[in-house]
Amino acid sequence: QLQASGGGLVQAGGSLRLSCTTSGRTVNRYTMGWFRQAPGKEREFIVAFGQSGNLYYGDSVKSRFTSYRDVGRNTVYLQMNSLNVGDTAVYYCAARAGNRATADESEYDYWGQGTLVTVSS
C-alpha cells in the first residue's frame, strides 16, 4: 500500500514537499513514480525514482521538481519548487517492481490515493 501526503494550498512561487510511504515492503524494493492530474486533463508523468536510485524526469517539471528517497522511513519525496498555477493538480505516487524507471503509468502496480496541490496566484 502507498500513502501519499503533503498536499495543500500554496502561493505561486512557493514550494511544497509531498511524501509517499510504502507499507509491507521497503521502498527500495520498488521503482516509485510520481504523476499528477489537473482538472479536465489526462494524468501526467512527473518523475520516476528507480530501485537503484536512478531518476527519470518528465520534461514539464524537470528543472523545478526533484525526488529523493529515505529508505529508513520507507518514503519517497517529491520536492516542488517555483510552483505556478499550472501545477495545480491531484498528485499520485505509484510503485512497480523492478528497476526500470518508466513514464508509462500502465506499468505501475500500486497507486496511492492522491493528494491535492492547489497553487494560488
Side-chain angles (χ1 to χ4, degrees), residues 18 20 22 24 26-28 30 35 42 51-52 61 68 82 89 92 95 97 100 108:
L18 305 182
C20 180
T22 65
T26 56
V27 68
N28 57 355
Y30 299 104
F35 296 80
E42 293 186 351
Q51 202 176 7
S52 61
V61 300
Y68 58 96
S82 301
Y92 297 91
R100 196 165 77 89
Y108 288 84

Side-chain angles (χ1 to χ4, degrees), residues 56-110:
Y56 172 48
Y57 285 95
D59 291 335
S60 62
V61 300
K62 187 174 183 177
S63 61
R64 298 185 294 120
F65 292 10
T66 188
S67 183
Y68 58 96
R69 182 174 64 185
D70 185 336
V71 175
R73 295 181 182 271
N74 275 338
T75 300
V76 170
Y77 300 95
L78 180 67
Q79 178 66 45
M80 305 184 294
N81 300 322
S82 301
L83 287 162
N84 58 60
V85 174
D87 295 317
T88 294
V90 176
Y91 284 71
Y92 297 91
C93 63
R96 66 180 300 275
N99 191 43
R100 196 165 77 89
T102 175
D104 185 349
E105 63 179 75
S106 70
E107 296 199 30
Y108 288 84
D109 303 307
Y110 309 100

